[in-house]
């Protein structure tokens, strides 16, 4: 972290099924910040579900929506943002988030992620015959981006509430360091 960074927000990044939305809501409540979920914003803007965006418009169209949200986020303060799992797997998006937010990555193993997402059908990238293999290969490809977060929190040994407490604690530490 450089001294010129201004940490106004928290951005939660990490793979699908790591608890970003739940943790984000809890952290926002604790800090009395606004909570924003990038997938929900995109669904509102596009007036269709994430699944429909992927099937009707294709993944590049979805990534373009993400890019636009990332741009909008630079104007925000006192906000906790839960990002879609692929949003931070992009250097420009990651750099932009870091310019205003403490970037926290929620981490879990492929096996644990699979357990958490296997009964859900709203994630188009995992609607395929070998979801565990897909999770493993995507996690490997995205690891180098996720590891650039300011803070990495392993979600396997803690409840989501404990993860949220960690996130808030790290935010206070970062703010004190940049005061
Ligand atoms: C995606 C993750 C999803 C959603 C979309 C693509 C990804 O968000 O943005 O299905 O590329 O990992 P969650 O991480 O909230 O499930």
């Amino acid at each position: 972290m450089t001294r010129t960074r201004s940490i106004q927000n928290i951005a939660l990044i990490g793979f699908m099924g790591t608890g970003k939305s739940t943790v984000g809501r809890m952290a926002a409540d604790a800090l009395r910040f606004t909570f924003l979920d990038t997938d929900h914003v995109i669904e509102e803007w596009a007036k269709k579900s994430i699944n429909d965006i992927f099937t009707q418009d294709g993944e590049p169209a979805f990534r373009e929506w993400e890019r636009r949200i990332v741009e909008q986020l630079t104007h925000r303060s006192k906000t906790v943002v839960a990002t879609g799992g692929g949003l931070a797997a992009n250097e420009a998006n990651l750099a932009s988030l870091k310019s205003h937010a403490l970037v926290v990555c929620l981490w879990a193993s492929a096996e644990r992620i699979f357990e958490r997402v296997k009964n859900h059908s709203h994630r188009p990238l995992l609607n395929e015959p070998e979801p565990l293999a897909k999770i493993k290969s995507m996690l490997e490809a995205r690891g180098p981006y996720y590891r650039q977060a300011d803070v990495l929190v392993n979600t396997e040994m803690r409840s989501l509430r404990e993860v949220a407490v960690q996130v808030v604690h790290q935010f206070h530490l970062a703010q004190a360091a940049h005061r």
Side-chain angles (χ1 to χ4, degrees), residues 16 49-55 62 120-128 134:
M16 297 173 255
S49 69
I50 302 291
N51 259 329
D52 284 350
I53 298 174
F54 271 77
T55 50
F62 177 76
H120 302 169
S121 61
H122 65 277
R123 293 185 170 99
L125 294 174
L126 300 181
N127 289 341
E128 58 164 274
K134 180 81 186 279

Side-chain angles (χ1 to χ4, degrees), residues 10 12 19-31 33-36 79-82 106 160 164 167:
I10 298 176
L12 297 177
K20 291 164 292 181
S21 301
T22 307
V23 168
R25 237 179 240 111
M26 289 173 176
D29 279 353
L31 290 162
F33 277 18
T34 305
F35 172 69
L36 248 171
T79 302
V80 179
V81 189
L106 304 192
L160 291 180
V167 169

